[in-house]
Amino acid sequence: MAYKKSIDEYEFYNRSKTGEKCSQDDWDLMHIPMKAMEIKQRYGLDFKGEFIPTNADMADKLFKAGFDMLLEAGVFVTDTQRIVKYTADEIWDSVRNPMPEFQLGTGRDAVTVKKRTVGDKKGPIIQGGPTGSPISEDVFYQVHMSYALEKEVDTIVNGVMTSVRGRPPSPKTPYEILAAKMESKIIKQATAVAGRPGMAV
């Protein structure tokens, strides 16, 4: 039976064209902080210095808070400067019917991401890497190689080059395209030399 989502990419696109208008500054400086503060007070969220809360009541409150945040705040689309909203039923459908599993990477380096439940004894996959952080061109290869060499790391979440051929990868220029191509090429070289050519990036 084929996996089916209640909201697909086409419906998301449609909503990104018709949703409430909002500027990036209003979203970052007003919309999200105010809604987060409101929901924090609503559920009395206080971690009391605990980095990862393990209390069941707090975990339940955090889930409800996250649910309300998505329901009430929505998702901001930078390209259209609009907010995409979901209904409670649509969010619950996604929560209750996740993709059961999918594969990342190829060959002996492939890993299978499977649905996990609360208290699941199966360990999650480990995604390592600088995750969108700016990395200078002269150490880009070495930084990603260091993650690929760690046996515990299953996939790479890459950083971004601050320059390519000594030039900044400015948006809407050929250097932006070149930087994206070089990032992919360099990371694949690093994983191959680390003995993990099929590692997902």
Side-chain angles (χ1 to χ4, degrees), residues 30-49:
M30 298 291 292
H31 195 81
I32 289 300
M34 291 178 67
K35 180 56 66 176
M37 183 60 68
E38 176 191 332
I39 292 175
K40 178 182 177 183
Q41 293 174 347
R42 181 185 305 170
Y43 289 101
L45 299 177
D46 184 357
F47 298 153
K48 302 185 186 303

Side-chain angles (χ1 to χ4, degrees), residues 124-141:
I125 68 161
I126 305 299
Q127 295 189 287
T131 315
S133 299
I135 308 292
S136 63
E137 189 175 358
D138 59 326
V139 296
F140 194 82
Y141 175 87

Side-chain angles (χ1 to χ4, degrees), residues 78-145:
T78 56
D79 287 350
T80 61
Q81 299 280 291
R82 290 183 183 273
I83 299 172
V84 170
K85 289 289 190 76
Y86 298 99
T87 67
D89 286 343
E90 289 167 346
I91 298 172
W92 274 119
D93 182 62
S94 294
V95 170
R96 291 171 175 148
N97 300 290
M99 184 180 293
E101 65 178 59
F102 57 91
Q103 181 178 296
L104 295 174
T106 60
R108 62 183 175 82
D109 300 310
V111 291
T112 301
V113 183
K114 295 184 178 181
K115 174 185 174 182
R116 299 174 76 243
T117 57
V118 176
D120 202 322
K121 300 302 181 185
K122 298 191 303 284
I125 68 161
I126 305 299
Q127 295 189 287
T131 315
S133 299
I135 308 292
S136 63
E137 189 175 358
D138 59 326
V139 296
F140 194 82
Y141 175 87
Q142 293 88 334
V143 167
H144 290 84
M145 166 78 85

Side-chain angles (χ1 to χ4, degrees), residues 10-198:
Y10 301 104
E11 178 58 25
F12 184 90
Y13 174 80
N14 293 338
R15 294 184 192 187
S16 77
K17 292 290 190 179
T18 59
E20 175 190 347
K21 289 285 285 182
C22 181
S23 71
Q24 181 84 57
D25 284 345
D26 281 348
W27 176 262
D28 291 339
L29 304 176
M30 298 291 292
H31 195 81
I32 289 300
M34 291 178 67
K35 180 56 66 176
M37 183 60 68
E38 176 191 332
I39 292 175
K40 178 182 177 183
Q41 293 174 347
R42 181 185 305 170
Y43 289 101
L45 299 177
D46 184 357
F47 298 153
K48 302 185 186 303
E50 189 177 14
F51 184 66
I52 301 178
T54 54
N55 177 275
D57 181 58
M58 178 60 74
D60 187 56
K61 287 181 179 179
L62 282 169
F63 175 83
K64 291 176 179 176
F67 188 98
D68 286 1
M69 189 72 181
L70 177 57
L71 179 65
E72 297 170 27
V75 176
F76 180 63
V77 181
T78 56
D79 287 350
T80 61
Q81 299 280 291
R82 290 183 183 273
I83 299 172
V84 170
K85 289 289 190 76
Y86 298 99
T87 67
D89 286 343
E90 289 167 346
I91 298 172
W92 274 119
D93 182 62
S94 294
V95 170
R96 291 171 175 148
N97 300 290
M99 184 180 293
E101 65 178 59
F102 57 91
Q103 181 178 296
L104 295 174
T106 60
R108 62 183 175 82
D109 300 310
V111 291
T112 301
V113 183
K114 295 184 178 181
K115 174 185 174 182
R116 299 174 76 243
T117 57
V118 176
D120 202 322
K121 300 302 181 185
K122 298 191 303 284
I125 68 161
I126 305 299
Q127 295 189 287
T131 315
S133 299
I135 308 292
S136 63
E137 189 175 358
D138 59 326
V139 296
F140 194 82
Y141 175 87
Q142 293 88 334
V143 167
H144 290 84
M145 166 78 85
S146 70
Y147 285 101
L149 287 169
E150 293 294 332
K151 296 191 186 314
E152 291 80 11
V153 174
D154 297 305
T155 73
I156 299 287
V157 184
N158 61 287
V160 294
M161 296 176 73
T162 55
S163 65
V164 58
R165 295 184 183 175
R167 302 270 186 170
S170 302
K172 300 180 180 178
T173 70
Y175 286 101
E176 180 183 33
I177 299 169
L178 179 61
K181 291 174 67 176
M182 290 302 296
E183 286 170 3
S184 177
K185 181 179 179 180
I186 291 171
I187 297 168
K188 293 306 289 182
Q189 286 176 342
T191 58
V193 172
R196 307 175 76 181

